[in-house]
Amino acid sequence: MAEYRTEVAFARRRFEWGAIWGGVFCFIAIWTVFGALGLALFATVVQPGASKFDMGIGVGIYSIVLTVVAMFIAGSATGRLAGVPTRLDGFYHGLVLYGLVLVCAFVLASLGGSFLLGSAAAGNAVTGGAAAENAATAAQDAVNNAAGTLGSYSRPYLLNMLTTLGWGGFITLFLAFVAAVTGAASSVAPRVVERDVREIRPAA
């Protein structure tokens, strides 16, 4: 007589790209919305006499916290949607999510810069040679002024500024990496597949 029993198996794949892209769009949505909110809040509460240094520190800290939180939520969404069975698989999904977010940010920044440069070139072509000559003169003046401004600063000041920017960028990227892989690894939810197995007893 045949008997039936239910077996449970984990459905596993290499990478769930749909879950990874979902995490990318989740990060972009959160960072864009709350980034705009942060700019609005800083522009509202800042005092007219506030120094640019204090303003820069506030915006920098807010950006770091927002990036880490958004990356953690995106990693959690990726780990939950991927349905991988182990935390190590979730870690790798978070790592791929992090790299893909960096690539998207680089591409968007490049496209934005190309668009601005193309718009400036089109405006010069429409207004004619005189406008182009004026724009070139203005650009040269700006370069000269910038060179004079940088020359007025001492070398230690420039090195300190570059060091601050470099360490700030590294801390932001590192914390975002940790948030992505931690969120993905901690939200592992394996997909379960139930199937009926028929057992046939041998004839007596």
Side-chain angles (χ1 to χ4, degrees):
M1 182 178 181
E3 294 183 354
Y4 292 89
R5 75 172 188 270
T6 300
E7 286 188 351
V8 177
F10 294 115
R12 180 175 183 177
R13 298 179 182 176
R14 290 289 182 180
F15 276 104
E16 289 287 346
W17 287 103
I20 294 174
W21 277 107
V24 171
F25 289 121
C26 181
F27 172 82
I28 293 175
I30 295 174
W31 204 95
T32 303
V33 172
F34 288 95
L37 175 63
L39 289 178
L41 291 176
F42 276 104
T44 301
V45 303
V46 67
Q47 300 296 328
S51 65
K52 295 181 180 180
F53 181 76
D54 295 335
M55 182 71 175
I57 290 180
V59 172
I61 294 175
Y62 182 84
S63 299
I64 293 175
V65 174
L66 175 59
T67 302
V68 172
V69 172
M71 192 65 77
F72 181 82
I73 295 176
S76 299
T78 298
R80 179 68 62 176
L81 295 175
V84 291
T86 64
R87 293 185 182 273
L88 182 60
D89 292 329
F91 173 88
Y92 286 128
H93 276 73
L95 181 60
V96 175
L97 164 69
Y98 174 75
L100 193 56
V101 167
L102 292 183
V103 171
C104 290
F106 177 77
V107 170
L108 291 176
S110 301
L111 291 177
S114 300
F115 177 77
L116 292 178
L117 291 177
S119 299
N124 290 334
V126 171
T127 54
E133 185 177 355
N134 293 334
T137 303
Q140 185 63 38
D141 292 340
V143 171
N144 293 334
N145 292 333
T149 302
L150 292 177
S152 63
Y153 292 115
S154 60
R155 183 176 178 83
Y157 176 83
L158 292 177
L159 291 177
N160 291 335
M161 182 176 64
L162 292 176
T163 301
T164 303
L165 292 176
W167 279 108
F170 169 75
I171 292 174
T172 303
L173 293 176
F174 178 76
L175 292 179
F177 163 75
V178 173
V181 296
T182 302
S186 62
S187 301
V188 171
R191 294 179 181 176
V192 178
V193 177
E194 294 185 358
R195 57 188 179 186
D196 292 331
V197 180
R198 181 180 181 182
E199 291 185 352
I200 301 178
R201 293 182 179 178

